[in-house]
């Protein structure tokens, strides 16, 4: 009798589980059989967006909708959810250079939700034959007619050895990018540097926002030591000597601040 009871209990448990699975499958099928009633698009900046960067939107909801609907030729609204391929939609939106990540989901109400995180530019590089943005992940972004970012300007005097291709492909590029990242992430550093001028030999000169003198940084190496000296310049030397007393400040020599 005990054995029969165990069999009966196991059978009932299996029947209940089967019923539950069928119910879930039916509910899922019913939801997917719904027609899409709305396309909900949201655009975010990402975790590091702050201050002057937070309104730098290079892609808007209209742009995303145009990508998804092939500029209105293939409407999403009125289409069965089961016929909407989420992965395909995500891959199409990711093709836009300004899109960092995208997440697409279907809601129980019958909506298609698209959450886009855009790339954030940290510098604008202008050279004689081209111009592009550099993102916080080192991705090169084309200039946009949607928005002009208020970021550090990079210019050249002659042809510099940096960013000669469309990606960070050698050590010198990586060192320059690391310096840009540190300037972007440090509030003091970011407020000081307005423009970076690159010489033909790869040396960097900074044009400050808060004073008139040029700052010779040198090659993008030894950043920690140079940064300490830059802080000393603006916290101790210039306040006592005068903000515009010097025309040139050289930080390129090890452990020295040379003012002229």
């Amino acid at each position: 009798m005990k054995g029969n009871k165990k069999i009966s209990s196991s059978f009932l448990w299996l029947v209940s589980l089967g019923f539950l699975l069928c119910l879930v499958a039916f509910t899922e099928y019913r939801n997917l059989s719904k027609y899409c009633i709305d396309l909900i698009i949201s655009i975010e900046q990402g975790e590091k967006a702050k201050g002057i960067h937070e309104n730098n939107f290079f892609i808007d909801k209209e742009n995303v909708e145009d990508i998804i609907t092939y500029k209105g030729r293939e409407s999403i609204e009125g289409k069965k959810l089961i016929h909407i391929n989420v992965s395909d939609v995500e891959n199409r939106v990711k093709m836009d250079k300004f899109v960092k990540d995208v997440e697409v989901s279907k809601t129980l109400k019958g909506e298609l939700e698209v959450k886009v995180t855009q790339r954030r530019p940290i510098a604008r590089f202008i050279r004689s034959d081209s111009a592009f943005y550099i993102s916080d992940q080192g991705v090169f972004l084309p200039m946009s007619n949607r928005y002009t970012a208020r970021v550090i300007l990079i210019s050249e005097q002659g042809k510099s050895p940096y960013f000669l291709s469309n990606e960070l492909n050698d050590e010198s590029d990586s060192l320059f990018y690391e310096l840009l990242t540190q300037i972007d992430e440090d509030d003091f550093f970011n407020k000081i540097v307005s423009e970076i001028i690159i010489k033909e030999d790869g040396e960097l000169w900074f044009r400050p926002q808060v004073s008139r003198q040029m700052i010779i940084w040198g090659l993008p190496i030894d950043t920690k030591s140079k940064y300490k000296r830059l802080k000393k310049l603006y916290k101790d030397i210039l306040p006592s000597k005068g903000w515009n007393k010097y025309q040139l400040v050289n930080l390129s020599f090890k452990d020295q601040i040379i003012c002229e």
Side-chain angles (χ1 to χ4, degrees):
M1 293 292 291
K2 289 183 179 180
N4 290 336
K5 285 184 179 180
K6 286 182 179 180
I7 292 172
S8 298
S9 298
S10 298
F11 178 74
L12 288 173
W13 183 84
L14 289 172
V15 170
S16 300
L17 179 62
F19 176 76
L20 181 61
L21 291 174
C22 288
L23 183 62
V24 170
F26 174 75
T27 303
E28 181 70 14
Y29 176 78
R30 186 180 61 180
N31 289 333
L32 290 175
S33 296
K34 288 182 178 179
Y35 291 91
C36 180
I37 62 170
D38 200 4
L39 178 61
I40 309 296
I41 299 171
S42 60
I43 299 176
E44 300 176 357
Q45 279 281 15
E47 295 179 0
K48 291 184 180 179
K50 59 181 179 180
I52 62 170
H53 305 298
E54 62 188 8
N55 295 315
N56 291 352
F57 284 95
F58 289 90
I59 185 167
D60 57 27
K61 294 180 181 180
E62 184 179 346
N63 302 135
V64 177
E65 185 172 352
D66 282 346
I67 294 171
I68 294 172
T69 64
Y70 296 100
K71 293 189 175 181
R73 295 192 298 273
E74 187 177 307
S75 178
I76 288 293
E77 294 179 31
K79 192 173 184 178
K80 278 192 175 183
L81 290 177
I82 198 170
H83 293 150
I84 298 175
N85 188 317
V86 168
S87 296
D88 179 59
V89 174
E90 288 179 343
N91 290 333
R92 271 190 280 138
V93 176
K94 283 180 182 177
M95 289 179 67
D96 190 293
K97 269 275 192 178
F98 292 103
V99 174
K100 178 180 179 181
D101 195 19
V102 59
E103 182 180 338
V104 179
S105 59
K106 303 168 184 177
T107 72
L108 295 177
K109 293 180 180 179
E111 302 159 327
L112 187 70
E113 280 192 345
V114 182
K115 296 179 181 179
V116 175
T117 303
Q118 74 157 4
R119 297 190 188 278
R120 183 173 63 85
I122 60 175
R124 180 159 52 106
F125 202 142
I126 297 177
R127 57 185 7 151
S128 59
D129 58 351
S130 63
F132 56 91
Y133 288 105
I134 301 174
S135 82
D136 58 343
Q137 290 189 316
V139 177
F140 299 167
L141 307 175
M143 299 300 289
S144 171
N145 56 11
R146 303 167 189 157
Y147 192 88
T148 300
R150 294 174 57 196
V151 292
I152 292 173
L153 177 65
I154 303 172
S155 59
E156 295 176 313
Q157 289 186 350
K159 194 71 171 179
S160 80
Y162 306 116
F163 306 131
L164 298 178
S165 66
N166 293 323
E167 58 184 8
L168 298 171
N169 64 345
D170 59 37
E171 185 179 0
S172 61
D173 286 353
S174 296
L175 289 171
F176 194 171
Y177 166 65
E178 287 174 14
L179 175 61
L180 287 178
T181 300
Q182 291 178 54
I183 294 173
D184 174 67
E185 293 178 346
D186 187 280
D187 288 337
F188 172 79
F189 216 167
N190 189 269
K191 288 175 182 177
I192 293 297
V193 183
S194 171
E195 180 182 357
I196 299 175
I197 301 169
I198 310 174
K199 304 292 184 176
E200 283 189 282
D201 60 2
E203 281 205 335
L204 311 178
W205 288 40
F206 293 168
R207 191 185 302 278
Q209 299 191 59
V210 295
S211 55
R212 294 178 187 173
Q213 68 276 347
M214 294 295 294
I215 298 171
I216 302 176
W217 186 264
L219 296 175
I221 57 175
D222 197 23
T223 298
K224 188 175 181 179
S225 173
K226 292 175 184 176
Y227 178 68
K228 286 182 179 179
R229 282 176 274 152
L230 182 71
K231 268 195 167 182
K232 183 176 180 60
L233 174 71
Y234 278 93
K235 291 184 179 294
D236 299 328
I237 298 175
L238 294 183
S240 62
K241 298 292 185 179
W243 288 98
N244 298 308
K245 179 178 177 61
Y246 306 108
Q247 293 184 334
L248 200 63
V249 175
N250 195 334
L251 303 176
S252 65
F253 295 100
K254 186 172 178 61
D255 299 326
Q256 295 183 57
I257 302 176
I258 301 174
C259 301
E260 300 177 12

